[in-house]
């Protein structure tokens, strides 16, 4: 018999917050994945909304490329407010 | 030469308390150790439901029954978090289950002891979940990200397990003499297996050193056992029961309780499969798996049929 596919589970803990990855589980289809996610990951009111996505559809960046992938942001300190020199008497900005 | 470099880099990350994530490079032995440990841990959660499941229908009140059911359901959840953490290391769920059912994989020996009276439910919560918590709290800081995250979730849920068990015993200790005797009898049977849960003495635990260097383990077996005995001895006083170890005595100098020698022959016999309930536990798991086969199959076929229909309609 075929093993049920693996699903990644994302939970929104309350209105106004993002869905956050909670873990994974096996289920025959999306409907069952949501029901199982309810029982596995929200037994204590941890969520008000669930997303599930089959793990095989998740494309991930490669940890070995981490340096090259993220280094464009490394030398752009002017993207941060502290880069700018302003007079002390300026109280609010 | 290049390999040595990668291993050094890996160890440097561990030393700097940087978590290892599934797609990161890791030594084969690190991966293997984690797969073994996490899957054994998962099996323990799953098999651990059986001794308590034995008492659901006979819980003395609805309150106790609801709590016991919720606890056992948590253990199922713990098993599932852990199986998926193990899967991130490249092992398939089905292979782990097959290893459990064939008897190849191990699980905690404590679950191979029978639950004879209601006091056993209290004692399991108090001692077995108590020892598990002691083991699991340092695992929240384990170097492998998915394991550590699963353990954080588990630890949040465990504290009610121990408290519900201790409350059962407190209630019984306020009851009749027969009830008090029942609590003492349960403690007499569970004490030694419970303190064996921390595993062999450090000198007999050859893999421990590497696991400590990799920060999979944070404390040695003997350190955790000592810590458990120190807190449990005090809890026993409040309960008014006697721990069945004539050598248990506070040692002012060490600042710890001294205690007697564990019967390691018995421990290894149970590990080898010769405990009082090994066969029964495995049989129950296999039966549940086999009797659920038609459900798994039906769900698969139903999902395929639905997917086909959706495609035709599109
Ligand atoms: Fe658990
Ligand atoms: Fe527990």
């Amino acid at each position: 018999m075929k093993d049920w596919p693996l699903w990644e589970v994302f939970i929104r803990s309350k209105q106004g917050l993002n869905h956050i990855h909670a873990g994974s589980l096996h289920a025959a289809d999306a409907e069952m994945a949501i029901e199982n996610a309810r029982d596995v990951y929200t037994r204590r009111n941890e969520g008000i909304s669930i997303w599930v996505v089959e793990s095989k559809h998740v494309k991930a960046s490669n940890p070995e490329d981490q340096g090259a992938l993220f280094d464009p942001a490394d030398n752009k300190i002017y993207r941060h407010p502290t880069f700018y020199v302003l007079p002390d008497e300026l109280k609010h900005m | 030469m290049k390999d040595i470099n990668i291993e050094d880099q890996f160890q440097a990350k561990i030393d700097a308390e940087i978590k290892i994530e599934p797609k990161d490079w890791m030594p084969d032995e690190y991966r293997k150790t984690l797969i073994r440990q996490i899957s054994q841990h998962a099996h323990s959660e799953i098999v651990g439901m059986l001794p308590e499941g034995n008492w659901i229908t006979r819980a003395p009140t609805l309150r106790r029954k609801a709590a016991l059911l919720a606890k056992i359901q948590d253990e199922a959840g713990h098993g599932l978090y852990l199986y998926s953490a193990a899967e991130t290391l490249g092992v398939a769920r089905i292979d782990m289950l097959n290893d459990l059912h064939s008897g190849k994989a191990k699980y905690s020996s404590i679950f191979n002891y029978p639950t004879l009276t209601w006091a056993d439910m209290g004692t399991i919560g108090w001692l077995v979940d108590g020892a598990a918590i002691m083991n699991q709290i340092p695992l929240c800081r384990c170097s492998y990200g998915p394991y550590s995250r699963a353990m954080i979730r588990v630890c949040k849920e465990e504290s009610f397990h121990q408290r519900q068990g201790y409350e059962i015993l407190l209630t019984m200790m306020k009851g009749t003499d027969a009830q008090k005797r029942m609590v003492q009898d349960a403690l007499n049977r569970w004490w030694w297996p419970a303190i064996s849960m921390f595993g062999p003495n450090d000198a007999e635990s050859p893999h421990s050193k590497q696991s400590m260097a990799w920060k999979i383990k944070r404390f040695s077996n003997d350190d955790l056992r000592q810590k458990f005995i120190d807190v449990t001895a005090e809890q026993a006083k409040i309960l008014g029961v006697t721990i069945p170890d004539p050598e248990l005595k506070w040692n002012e100098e060490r600042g710890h309780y001294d205690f007697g020698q564990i019967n390691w022959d018995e421990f290894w016999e149970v590990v080898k499969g010769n405990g009082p309930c090994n066969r029964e536990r495995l049989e129950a798991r296999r039966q549940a798996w086999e009797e659920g086969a038609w459900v798994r199959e039906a769900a698969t076929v139903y999902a395929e049929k639905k997917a086909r229909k959706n495609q035709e309609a599109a």
Side-chain angles (χ1 to χ4, degrees), chain B residues 45 52 71 74-75 78 129 132 136 157-158 161-162:
Chain B
E45 302 284 352
E52 291 180 298
K71 176 195 189 288
D74 274 352
E75 307 301 3
H78 299 174
D129 288 82
Q136 287 167 343
E157 299 180 350
E158 281 293 347
H161 297 181
Q162 192 181 23

Side-chain angles (χ1 to χ4, degrees), chain A residues 1-8 11 21-32 36 38-44 46 59-64 66, chain B residues 23-25 70 73-78 80-81 84-85 87-88 92-95 149 153 156-158 160-161 293 295-297 299-300 302-304 306:
Chain A
M1 197 203 81
K2 263 197 294 181
D3 209 0
W4 288 345
L6 190 67
W7 300 76
E8 299 303 321
I11 310 255
H21 186 239
S24 49
L25 49 75
H26 286 267
D29 58 19
E31 202 184 321
M32 185 195 276
N36 288 357
R38 193 261 327 260
D39 291 340
V40 177
Y41 292 106
T42 66
R43 286 192 302 284
R44 288 174 177 77
E46 290 96 334
K59 297 285 169 279
S61 63
N62 191 336
E64 277 146 43
Q66 186 183 332
Chain B
K23 294 182 78 184
D24 294 345
W25 185 90
Q73 196 187 2
D74 274 352
E75 307 301 3
H78 299 174
L80 295 176
Y81 310 152
S84 36
E87 278 177 290
T88 63
R93 175 87 52 118
I94 189 78
D95 293 335
R149 293 191 286 274
R153 196 177 271 280
K156 271 190 201 152
E157 299 180 350
E158 281 293 347
F160 117 70
H161 297 181
V295 180
R296 293 191 299 276
E297 211 167 312
T300 305
Y302 176 70
E304 283 167 358
K306 230 172 32 175

Side-chain angles (χ1 to χ4, degrees), chain A residues 47-92:
Chain A
I48 54 151
S49 162
I50 297 173
W51 286 352
V52 293
V53 57
E54 239 189 281
S55 308
K56 68 175 183 200
H57 296 308
V58 175
K59 297 285 169 279
S61 63
N62 191 336
E64 277 146 43
D65 303 336
Q66 186 183 332
L69 189 62
F70 296 105
D71 85 350
D74 277 352
N75 54 357
K76 301 197 173 51
I77 45 170
Y78 45 85
R79 282 180 174 159
H80 300 276
T82 46
F83 177 75
Y84 299 91
V85 185
L86 301 177
D88 287 345
E89 54 268 38
L90 185 74
K91 287 282 181 277
H92 301 286

